[in-house]
Amino acid sequence: MLRQLHIRNYALIEELDIPFHPGFSVITGETGAGKSIILGAIGLLLGQRANHSPSLSTGKKCTVEAHFDISNYDLHSFFEDNDIDYDPEDTILRREISSTGKSRMFINDTPVTLSVIRELGEQLIDIHSQHQNLLLNKEDFQLNVIDILASNQAALSDYKQTFVAYSQANKHLDELMEEIERNKENEDFLRFQFNELEEAKLTDGEQEELEQMSETMSHAEEIKGALYDISNTLNGEKNGIVNQLKTSAQQLRHIERVFPVAEELASRLESAHIELKDVAQEIESKLEDIDFNPQQLEMLNERLDKIYSLQQRFHVSTIAELLQIHQDIKEQLSHLNNSEEELDDLRQQVKDLMAQCTKKAQMLTDIRTQAAKKVETELKQRLVPLGIQNVRFQIQFSSKPLSSDGADKVAFLFSANKSGEMQPISQIASGGEIARVMLSLKAMISGAVKLPTIIFDEIDTGVSGRVAEQMAQIMHEMGENKRQVISITHLPQIAAMGINHYKVLKEDTSTATVSKMSLLSYDERVAEIAQMLSGSDISQAAMDNAKALLKTNKSL
């Protein structure tokens, strides 16, 4: 429920701070006084785009702030999901727009995006303007009305979950069929590639080993010569380093009794002798292994050429990548071999889910059909007092392919006469008749769900007299049970039924023309309604008539 509205520097409004109350309230004022400006400011809190040039006061920051009591709206999860402080008794929406058009949004002083403030705002205020009557022409709106009044949210949610699963399985089936078709067209080429890689019998790390062996064998004579010289240096019979180290260590052992330091030196030389002897033996072993073999080198290079050729063909640089390609092709071919079985399984899954969807869609149809009969009866009962005495109204059902909202197409058929063929309401009903139908539907919906604050913007267009009184009575009833309904009206019959009456007027100051809004006292209401009845020259009869209208309001 809207509790307080503060507007600063928005169009003709310099400063406005106005409280709002539960129940049915009315807003009146002459054409051009600024009622639409106030709605525009509220629209900013609903996430509407700010029109910088014509709407905002030049050179000044615009601020629109509204305080809400959301205790009855069950919105705690919204605040948790968006990490916003939750204060159900005083939730504050604020929007600031600079003179350059830069906009900032806040919920309970927490900065939020436009989409977040729009998401919350649309759950708090429902502005019903004349253009919203056009929704009555839309099939999805008509079906949504039926669903709300049928209270079938649980069944609809269950159906939607199954439909999502069905849609995903169907999409998967289409993708699989396309993939299999592509692979079949490419099957021969895939098998050729697979066989080529299979015959290559590649092993991970093979390339590096072969490259090293080829490099070694290509320089076999050079390597062997170097190893031979080193071996001769270490193991030469006369001047071999290994034998000289051994002899030197023995000499140190002979003098260690008279020269104690020799013992440690001898140990170090013995260690060096052991290490060099081991190195010498390994070099001799390598000498035996190194042998230039032209046939073996040719085989090595042929194997490497094969590997390089495969890498170039598959646009990779390692055997590991070739092995992965080999595995991928193997899986594709396996997929082809098992495709019919997989397709059959998926087709069965789609068939089963479609059967479930069809069954649940039929349940929705049954619920909607029963609810539609009640809607037809109640809507006709509401429209007769609103001046459509011979109203005929029918909700026509027809089938459509399974979709996210079921398998039902609905059409609201209407006639204001006893005879003649009923037609879709958008094709036959007048603007005033559509407004009364929409008001009746909103009244019915408000009894089925917890609607937010509802603002009717001149829904009374095209009606007067007794019909206006009945419309006022409906809005008054909608405002009961801690609900909040606000009507912007030009009709005195509706203005008199408000529990609270606000007036918007335009005033000229020394520097500008400004719009103001105030909550009227009883005497001020009498004068305002009298003026609505008789114009600027208020007669005593108009004053008496205004008082008489106010007496019909049992809430005063």
Side-chain angles (χ1 to χ4, degrees):
M1 182 187 76
L2 178 62
R3 295 175 53 244
Q4 192 85 15
L5 178 65
H6 177 76
I7 305 172
R8 177 184 295 171
N9 299 325
Y10 181 77
L12 298 180
I13 299 175
E14 289 185 347
E15 185 86 26
L16 175 65
D17 197 4
I18 195 81
F20 286 90
H21 304 280
F24 178 43
S25 299
V26 295
I27 300 175
T28 61
E30 296 180 0
T31 300
K35 300 185 294 297
S36 61
I37 295 174
I38 293 170
L39 280 183
I42 293 175
L44 293 178
L45 296 179
L46 303 185
Q48 295 178 6
R49 295 287 177 182
N51 190 343
H52 160 59
S53 178
S55 299
L56 305 181
S57 300
T58 304
K60 297 179 181 179
K61 182 176 74 174
C62 163
T63 302
V64 182
E65 180 177 293
H67 294 245
F68 293 87
D69 182 343
I70 61 172
S71 304
N72 297 322
Y73 292 172
D74 192 24
L75 293 173
H76 189 268
S77 60
F78 170 87
F79 289 82
E80 284 187 344
D81 294 342
N82 291 281
D83 196 21
I84 300 171
D85 291 338
Y86 180 59
D87 185 352
E89 295 182 358
D90 188 24
T91 292
I92 305 171
L93 274 64
R94 184 172 79 257
R95 188 163 179 186
E96 300 174 353
I97 306 173
S98 69
S99 59
T100 60
K102 186 176 180 180
S103 183
R104 298 193 303 165
M105 288 71 63
F106 303 86
I107 299 175
N108 291 340
D109 289 328
T110 299
V112 296
T113 62
L114 188 66
S115 60
V116 171
I117 201 169
R118 180 186 294 125
E119 182 182 351
L120 180 59
E122 289 177 348
Q123 296 182 74
L124 301 181
I125 299 180
D126 175 19
I127 297 180
H128 183 98
S129 58
Q130 291 184 44
H131 79 270
Q132 199 181 33
N133 289 337
L134 299 176
L135 288 174
L136 200 53
N137 304 341
K138 298 183 180 296
E139 180 191 325
D140 55 349
F141 174 79
Q142 296 177 5
L143 186 61
N144 189 44
V145 168
I146 301 300
D147 285 334
I148 290 174
L149 296 176
S151 299
N152 66 353
Q153 283 71 31
L156 183 58
S157 176
D158 182 40
Y159 167 81
K160 286 183 175 180
Q161 290 180 2
T162 305
F163 180 77
V164 167
Y166 164 70
S167 300
Q168 290 175 342
N170 219 1
K171 181 181 178 182
H172 187 195
L173 177 61
D174 290 340
E175 291 174 346
L176 180 60
M177 291 174 67
E178 290 177 5
E179 180 185 348
I180 290 172
E181 189 64 29
R182 287 195 304 269
N183 288 343
K184 280 184 176 179
E185 293 174 358
N186 202 29
E187 183 176 2
D188 290 342
F189 183 59
L190 285 174
R191 292 198 182 279
F192 170 77
Q193 288 182 317
F194 176 79
N195 290 335
E196 191 174 28
L197 291 170
E198 183 77 10
E199 291 170 2
K201 299 186 183 304
L202 301 170
T203 58
D204 198 14
E206 176 186 8
Q207 180 178 352
E208 292 79 6
E209 183 180 353
L210 290 174
E211 288 174 338
Q212 183 59 58
M213 290 173 65
S214 175
E215 186 74 10
T216 299
M217 190 167 291
S218 298
H219 297 82
E221 294 301 324
E222 177 186 350
I223 296 169
K224 197 163 187 175
L227 292 178
Y228 178 81
D229 289 343
I230 296 168
S231 177
N232 192 47
T233 300
L234 293 176
N235 281 333
E237 293 181 2
K238 294 182 178 180
N239 298 317
I241 294 174
V242 174
N243 287 331
Q244 290 183 27
L245 280 175
K246 181 178 180 182
T247 301
S248 296
Q250 289 173 345
Q251 289 175 339
L252 286 172
R253 289 296 181 188
H254 290 155
I255 64 173
E256 65 182 4
R257 183 176 58 81
V258 295
F259 185 56
V261 175
E263 182 180 4
E264 180 187 353
L265 294 173
S267 296
R268 291 168 65 184
L269 282 178
E270 288 168 352
S271 297
H273 171 259
I274 293 171
E275 180 65 23
L276 279 180
K277 183 179 180 181
D278 185 61
V279 170
Q281 289 174 348
E282 189 167 347
I283 286 175
E284 287 181 1
S285 174
K286 297 298 182 186
L287 260 173
E288 295 176 1
D289 294 339
I290 298 297
D291 189 19
F292 178 69
N293 187 330
Q295 292 78 15
Q296 186 178 3
L297 179 60
E298 184 178 356
M299 291 175 60
L300 286 173
N301 288 334
E302 286 178 357
R303 180 63 174 171
L304 284 170
D305 287 343
K306 177 68 173 177
I307 293 171
Y308 295 150
S309 175
L310 288 172
Q311 289 173 346
Q312 185 176 15
R313 193 173 306 157
F314 288 96
H315 306 290
V316 295
S317 59
T318 66
I319 285 183
E321 291 171 303
L322 287 173
L323 291 172
Q324 183 60 53
I325 291 172
H326 184 213
Q327 181 63 29
D328 292 343
I329 295 175
K330 183 178 180 180
E331 290 177 1
Q332 290 181 59
L333 291 172
S334 175
H335 198 51
L336 272 173
N337 295 334
N338 300 322
S339 59
E340 287 305 319
E341 182 180 346
E342 189 174 352
L343 275 176
D344 289 342
D345 290 343
L346 195 49
R347 286 192 185 104
Q348 186 61 47
Q349 182 182 351
V350 170
K351 183 179 179 180
D352 292 343
L353 286 168
M354 184 177 181
Q356 294 179 39
C357 278
T358 302
K359 181 178 179 181
K360 292 178 180 181
Q362 184 58 51
M363 292 174 61
L364 278 176
T365 300
D366 295 341
I367 296 171
R368 288 165 172 167
T369 303
Q370 294 177 7
K373 294 176 182 177
K374 296 179 182 179
V375 173
E376 291 170 350
T377 301
E378 185 174 346
L379 190 64
K380 286 185 280 191
Q381 291 173 347
R382 288 180 175 275
L383 290 174
V384 169
L386 292 178
I388 311 179
Q389 298 292 333
N390 299 314
V391 63
R392 288 183 295 147
F393 179 79
Q394 180 183 348
I395 300 175
Q396 183 184 72
F397 281 81
S398 58
S399 298
K400 67 178 181 182
L402 290 172
S403 65
S404 60
D405 55 12
D408 298 318
K409 291 178 65 176
V410 298
F412 285 4
L413 304 182
F414 177 86
S415 175
N417 305 310
K418 290 182 179 180
S419 59
E421 183 181 357
M422 286 191 290
Q423 298 181 39
I425 191 168
S426 60
Q427 299 177 15
I428 193 172
S430 67
E433 289 167 343
I434 286 180
R436 281 173 271 180
V437 170
M438 285 295 287
L439 176 61
S440 299
L441 288 174
K442 288 260 173 140
M444 294 163 64
I445 290 171
S446 71
V449 297
K450 292 179 180 178
L451 278 179
T453 296
I454 305 175
I455 301 177
F456 288 106
D457 182 16
E458 299 184 1
I459 197 172
D460 50 31
T461 300
V463 301
S464 60
R466 179 64 180 167
V467 173
E469 292 178 9
Q470 289 297 322
M471 293 181 75
Q473 186 60 43
I474 289 174
M475 287 185 280
H476 191 282
E477 291 173 358
M478 289 174 66
E480 294 176 348
N481 298 322
K482 295 184 179 181
R483 297 191 183 100
Q484 187 178 48
V485 177
I486 301 170
S487 176
I488 297 174
T489 182
H490 289 292
L491 297 181
Q493 295 91 340
I494 292 179
M497 287 299 295
I499 300 173
N500 302 285
H501 187 156
Y502 300 86
K503 181 176 181 178
V504 179
L505 69 158
K506 198 176 342 183
E507 288 184 354
D508 292 326
T509 67
S510 59
T511 56
T513 300
V514 297
S515 288
K516 295 186 176 182
M517 178 175 175
S518 60
L519 180 61
L520 302 183
S521 66
Y522 177 80
D523 291 339
E524 289 170 332
R525 290 189 71 175
V526 172
E528 173 68 5
I529 293 172
Q531 187 176 32
M532 296 172 74
L533 288 165
S534 65
S536 56
D537 295 328
I538 301 175
S539 65
Q540 185 59 46
M543 294 287 286
D544 293 340
N545 196 1
K547 292 177 181 178
L549 283 175
L550 286 168
K551 282 184 179 180
T552 63
N553 187 342
K554 305 300 181 183
S555 299
L556 299 180

